[in-house]
Amino acid sequence: MRAIAEDGDVSLGPPQQRGLLTLLLLRKAPVPIADVVDALWGEAPPASAHSTVRTYAARLRQILAGGEAELLHSASGYQLVRHGAQVDADDFDLLVSEAHAVRRSGDAARAAILLRRALALWARPALGGVKADFAAAQRVRLAEAYRVAQEQLFEAELAAGRHEEVCAELGAAVADRPLDSRLTELWMNALHRCGHTVEALEAFRRLRGELNEQLGIEPGPELQRLHQRLLEGEEIVPAPKVASEPQLLRPDQIPPDVRDFTGRDAEIDRLRQILTEDRVPVAGITGLGGAGKSTLAVHVAHLLADRFPDGRMYLDLHTRTGRPLQARDALGSLLRTIRPDLDIPDTTAERSALWRTVTSGRKMLVILDDANDSVQVDPLLPACAVIVTASRRLLELPAVAWQRLGPLNEQESFRLLGKIAGHRRVAAERAAALDLVAACSGHPLSVRVAAARLLDRPLWTVSQIMEQLADDLRQPVVMHKDCKIVDEPIRRAEAQLAAASASVFRVAALAVSPVRSVDEVVAMTGLPRAEARAALEDLVDVHLVETVGIDAYRYPVLIQAVARRRAEQVEGPERCRTALDALALSSSVTV
């Protein structure tokens, strides 16, 4: 049991503390503290077991701080959220699964390569240095997984005609497990194909003697039939032809880069860092609709084009339409794009394994845009670089390194407005232009809409556009098409909320100040304090407010204006007045 960071091994503490980390890695879902105690000590835990577990967890949290894995505690128990951290046991399972899919398709040589990569992850025995009651059973399970994968490797090598290359390796495996009839059978096949039939017969004799002496049994019927065929001088089995590597297409599906891309330097650097790592990189971008998640992903794909000579793929998962693409259909589309000649299997699991197989080892980039949830995305993750965009973090995908895409700053918004509407026109009314981008709250889509209004009204001043926008934000008489474009991502985020949280979003926006404390929300809504805080955290998750301090949250100007308008429409004038009156009674906030 080891943890390895960029600068080497990380000290994980005493064996039982390692046991807690191992348990959380293997279980993945939250583990209640009672289950942790049972796993570490079995039927005879010490009186201080619960306290010891909390101490171990606190130490591990410190040890892991600053890395990609994060130890969390909730009402459900302890959980290790991996983010971008990789676990070799999971990589092993993934490679073995891919090998199975490839083997079924008839490519034994490729299956053998994948199985070798899986077995190379091992440093036996499993879970070394771990002291915990559950570890013994896990060691047996993992050792059996190794044995089965090794056996499948030898079968694949022989099917690919590599009997000469694998013969000595099989002999060593038989020496390690002298009572394993299947290994001896494979070794006898390899020896016979290499022309060493006498040695193959001797291998059978040794196995038979060991089985008789130690277990009092005879070799199985399959092995006895093979022995009889060799005695009868059956010709050496010719090696099958190794299938040539199928020709994969090099797709280039990335949409055009935008000419006026502005800002996001820190985010680009972070994505560049993730996507150029040696391991399989998986980057995630979250943010409010219209924040530029897709634009950023596409921009980075163009910047790093030379890093991905085997192709760049793009797939829109259509969550914003309300009809998200199903994983099975998405996999069909991806597989047909990269290998039009493929015989695509029927089930999602088989398609997923095949998708990872055909992308394994390739310098490709895949953009999965507008993802819905982990159920949709997890089967689509390839064995190459990938960028996932989604409205919120998909925490069930530990391999994804997420970053949140916030608003543009004032100068970036100003530059974007100038790039679209004309730098000279914007610079001539700099103060009004800064007011205009401030009203857009740094939301790139809103800045683009404002710039489009300027372009469509060449005789208007920036101040006039600003006045019209202010009227539209307060209470539009007619909802212009471009206002609907700006409203749509905010309304979509609101629709993701539970009813109570959506009501908080609308009602809490009514006060003049954009900053709202938990106590103020309690006064305005009548919710218990814990529920009010939970609702505000829900708003943070969907990017409708941001935290600005302990129990303090801020609405961007644009979002607050939309929320107020929604409050009048949904909550009604009387409910709005009641909320403001309650706030006035509870504090000195101006309303």
Side-chain angles (χ1 to χ4, degrees):
M1 176 61 202
R2 301 169 63 199
I4 305 170
E6 289 181 357
D7 53 355
D9 278 42
V10 177
S11 176
L12 296 174
Q16 210 152 35
Q17 185 168 296
R18 292 167 176 259
L20 172 59
L21 180 59
T22 303
L23 176 69
L24 299 180
L25 284 168
L26 293 174
R27 289 280 289 271
K28 300 177 186 176
V31 184
I33 191 168
D35 290 358
V36 173
V37 170
D38 184 58
L40 295 184
W41 287 281
E43 297 179 358
S48 61
H50 282 239
S51 173
T52 303
V53 169
R54 284 191 285 269
T55 300
Y56 287 159
R59 289 175 182 169
L60 287 171
R61 196 174 289 116
Q62 267 190 323
I63 290 168
L64 298 172
E68 292 179 318
E70 183 180 10
L71 200 160
L72 302 178
H73 182 247
S74 67
S76 302
Y78 291 99
Q79 182 178 16
L80 195 72
V81 179
R82 302 178 193 178
H83 300 305
Q86 288 181 292
V87 180
D88 59 358
D90 290 345
D91 292 342
F92 172 82
D93 290 340
L94 178 62
L95 287 165
V96 170
S97 175
E98 291 177 9
H100 290 170
V102 172
R103 188 77 171 86
R104 284 194 296 270
S105 71
D107 192 347
R110 179 64 179 160
I113 290 171
L114 292 168
L115 287 164
R116 284 202 179 278
R117 286 173 55 191
L119 293 168
L121 296 170
W122 278 72
R124 293 186 296 169
L127 308 186
V130 172
K131 180 183 177 183
D133 199 66
F134 77 96
Q138 288 296 326
R139 287 189 183 101
V140 171
R141 178 185 69 81
L142 292 166
E144 177 63 11
Y146 181 93
R147 185 196 68 77
V148 171
Q150 187 186 49
E151 184 179 293
Q152 292 168 348
L153 166 65
F154 294 142
E155 290 172 349
E157 293 282 30
L158 291 176
R162 291 172 48 83
H163 42 274
E164 291 182 353
E165 292 84 350
V166 82
C167 193
E169 196 175 351
L170 261 167
V174 169
D176 190 40
R177 300 204 300 273
L179 298 180
D180 191 318
S181 295
R182 178 58 178 156
L183 272 183
T184 297
E185 181 184 350
L186 293 169
W187 188 34
M188 289 170 64
N189 265 295
L191 287 166
H192 179 51
R193 293 185 188 187
C194 292
H196 305 308
T197 304
V198 174
E199 288 87 342
L201 292 169
E202 176 61 19
F204 177 84
R205 187 193 63 76
R206 281 197 300 270
L207 174 66
R208 186 176 191 178
E210 292 284 348
L211 290 175
N212 273 315
E213 181 181 339
Q214 297 191 37
L215 303 175
I217 61 175
E218 288 287 325
E222 284 291 327
L223 195 54
Q224 296 214 38
R225 280 193 291 271
L226 173 61
H227 178 245
Q228 188 61 36
R229 289 199 302 270
L230 297 184
L231 286 173
E232 292 170 357
E234 182 179 301
E235 289 186 9
I236 296 173
V237 180
K241 284 187 177 181
V242 179
S244 60
E245 189 71 20
Q247 193 65 36
L248 300 178
L249 297 182
R250 292 177 177 167
D252 194 357
Q253 300 176 317
I254 302 299
D257 200 3
V258 295
R259 296 175 57 192
D260 49 31
F261 188 91
T262 303
R264 305 301 192 194
D265 293 338
E267 290 87 351
I268 290 170
D269 288 344
R270 174 65 176 146
L271 285 170
R272 189 193 303 272
Q273 177 187 355
I274 294 168
L275 294 172
T276 54
E277 292 175 344
D278 289 337
R279 61 187 178 187
V280 176
V282 187
I285 308 171
T286 69
L288 184 68
K293 301 184 294 295
S294 305
T295 303
L296 175 61
V298 167
H299 184 67
V300 168
H302 285 285
L303 288 178
L304 301 181
D306 60 333
R307 296 271 186 167
F308 304 107
D310 292 335
R312 298 174 299 161
M313 299 179 68
Y314 174 89
L315 184 65
D316 188 344
L317 299 176
H318 293 298
T319 297
R320 70 176 69 85
T321 67
R323 297 183 299 277
L325 194 61
Q326 297 300 304
R328 182 180 178 278
D329 297 332
L331 285 164
S333 174
L334 291 166
L335 287 167
R336 280 188 292 271
T337 297
I338 196 170
R339 281 277 305 277
D341 62 320
L342 266 180
D343 182 12
I344 298 176
D346 187 58
T347 69
T348 300
E350 289 174 319
R351 290 183 179 198
S352 179
L354 185 57
W355 167 235
R356 289 191 295 269
T357 297
V358 298
T359 54
S360 178
R362 305 195 76 205
K363 293 182 178 180
M364 285 180 56
L365 174 65
V366 179
I367 295 178
L368 301 174
D369 194 20
D370 194 26
N372 183 40
D373 55 28
S374 59
V375 174
Q376 179 195 47
V377 173
D378 193 28
L380 307 182
L381 293 179
C384 63
V386 62
I387 303 175
V388 181
T389 74
S391 61
R392 61 199 307 171
R393 290 174 184 245
L394 310 180
L395 294 178
E396 300 88 348
L397 300 178
V400 182
W402 293 99
Q403 64 173 322
R404 181 178 180 136
L405 196 61
L408 297 172
N409 63 37
E410 182 183 67
Q411 288 306 312
E412 289 169 340
S413 299
F414 183 80
R415 286 204 309 274
L416 178 58
L417 185 72
K419 284 182 179 180
I420 300 171
H423 290 294
R424 183 176 299 177
R425 185 178 181 187
V426 168
E429 295 183 73
R430 181 177 177 82
L434 288 173
D435 288 341
L436 181 59
V437 296
C440 295
S441 301
H443 186 236
L445 177 62
S446 304
V447 175
R448 289 182 179 280
V449 167
R453 282 197 181 188
L454 280 169
L455 283 176
D456 291 342
R457 297 162 178 81
L459 299 181
W460 287 36
T461 64
V462 176
S463 297
Q464 288 172 320
I465 293 290
M466 179 61 214
E467 289 171 10
Q468 185 193 51
L469 179 62
D471 289 341
D472 285 345
L473 288 175
R474 282 193 297 271
Q475 189 66 54
V477 177
V478 176
M479 179 66 79
H480 296 286
K481 184 176 181 180
D482 56 4
C483 282
K484 291 180 180 178
I485 293 172
V486 171
D487 272 21
E488 192 269 336
I490 301 171
R491 296 280 293 273
R492 198 165 66 240
E494 179 190 358
Q496 294 181 45
L497 298 168
S501 298
S503 181
V504 167
F505 166 64
R506 296 184 291 265
V507 171
L510 291 166
V512 170
S513 168
V515 177
R516 204 70 66 244
S517 71
V518 172
D519 290 334
E520 289 168 349
V521 173
V522 169
M524 297 180 79
T525 62
L527 289 172
R529 200 169 193 279
E531 291 182 23
R533 181 190 285 111
L536 286 165
E537 287 296 320
D538 285 344
L539 304 191
V540 172
D541 288 342
V542 296
H543 316 285
L544 292 175
V545 301
E546 57 189 6
T547 55
V548 291
I550 298 175
D551 286 348
Y553 302 81
R554 186 177 70 82
Y555 282 91
V557 173
L558 175 68
I559 294 176
Q560 185 178 15
V562 174
R564 282 176 164 178
R565 201 163 65 238
R566 292 285 296 153
E568 291 288 337
Q569 295 167 351
V570 179
E571 308 293 338
E574 183 176 347
R575 172 80 177 88
C576 293
R577 282 193 300 271
T578 301
L580 290 171
D581 290 344
L583 180 61
L585 286 173
S586 68
S587 68
S588 59
V589 174
T590 302
V591 297

